[in-house]
């Protein structure tokens, strides 16, 4: 009788151990999918010297505090190559419209659920444009002497972006990214 009880106990423990990886998989799966609304921007203006202004103020749907676009949406990522180039003459630089010290492009559209971390977004930019590219961030606009100060809300960069296209943008000090 003791052998039967021991056999039953071992069989039950083996069954629980065998099922543990199956029950753990959905929890692990859930952490690899982003589901928080993310911050999005759009093209605001074209400027001198192949410059574009991107941002989200002035009546657009951008929300840098909570995110504004559900993660199931598929949008391009705003990518930045910050190569320290100077701003072209003819654009006004300040806190709300800084110079990003480089060039912007938009990636192929990706669902926000794929943006599970800043590195995941950066990888999309690097795969499409090269190793020096990353996702643009809300505070990438610089102004002041030698571009020593950071601003926010919009920035200028070199680029050629389409009108009426929203794109994912990172913000590093608020919970407004799909991975948050």
């Amino acid at each position: 009788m003791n052998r039967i009880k021991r056999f039953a106990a071992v069989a039950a423990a083996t069954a629980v151990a065998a099922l543990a990886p199956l029950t753990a998989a959905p929890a692990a799966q859930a952490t690899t999918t982003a589901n928080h609304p993310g911050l999005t921007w759009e093209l605001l203006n074209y400027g001198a010297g192949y410059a574009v202004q991107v941002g989200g103020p002035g009546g657009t749907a951008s929300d840098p505090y909570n995110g504004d676009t559900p993660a199931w949406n598929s949008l391009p990522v705003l990518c930045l190559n910050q190569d320290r180039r100077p701003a072209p003459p003819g654009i006004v630089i300040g806190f709300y419209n800084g110079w990003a010290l480089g060039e912007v492009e938009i990636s192929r559209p990706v669902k926000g659920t794929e943006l599970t971390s800043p590195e995941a977004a950066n990888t999309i930019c690097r795969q499409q444009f090269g190793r020096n590219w990353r996702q643009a961030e809300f505070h990438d606009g610089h102004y002041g002497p030698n571009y020593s100060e950071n601003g926010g809300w919009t920035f200028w960069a070199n680029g050629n972006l389409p009108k009426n296209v929203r794109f994912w943008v990172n913000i590093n000090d608020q919970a407004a990214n799909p991975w948050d």
Side-chain angles (χ1 to χ4, degrees):
M1 185 69 163
N2 283 341
R3 268 201 251 162
I4 294 173
K5 285 183 184 178
R6 271 187 287 174
F7 178 76
V10 168
T14 303
V16 169
L19 291 176
L22 297 176
T23 57
Q29 178 77 16
T31 61
T32 61
T33 301
N35 61 13
H36 190 280
L39 174 63
T40 63
W41 277 2
E42 62 188 36
L43 172 71
L44 299 176
N45 291 305
Y46 292 106
Y50 188 58
V52 291
Q53 183 184 24
V54 293
T60 69
S62 289
D63 183 348
Y65 302 107
N66 304 298
D68 50 71
T69 303
W72 61 77
N73 282 283
S74 188
L75 300 172
V77 174
L78 181 64
C79 299
L80 173 66
N81 177 11
Q82 208 166 36
D83 58 11
R84 309 283 307 161
R85 68 181 71 178
I91 59 173
V92 177
I93 306 286
F95 178 88
Y96 293 107
N97 53 340
W99 176 247
L101 306 171
E103 179 180 8
V104 290
E105 294 283 349
I106 56 173
S107 75
R108 65 177 169 75
V110 296
K111 287 191 175 196
T113 55
E114 295 178 45
L115 304 177
T116 57
S117 68
E119 189 53 40
N122 292 342
T123 297
I124 290 166
C125 294
R126 287 185 193 117
Q127 287 174 343
Q128 192 160 346
F129 302 112
R131 67 181 179 95
N132 294 324
W133 290 78
R134 63 170 172 82
Q135 183 182 31
E137 199 274 330
F138 181 90
H139 303 96
D140 274 330
H142 298 269
Y143 69 100
N146 299 316
Y147 306 114
S148 59
E149 304 292 326
N150 288 78
W153 297 97
T154 81
F155 64 71
W156 288 93
N158 286 129
N160 185 21
L161 303 178
K163 289 184 177 182
N164 303 316
V165 174
R166 302 290 290 187
F167 30 79
W168 302 111
V169 177
N170 179 4
I171 185 164
N172 65 17
D173 62 354
Q174 300 293 325
N177 302 292
W179 56 82
D180 290 322

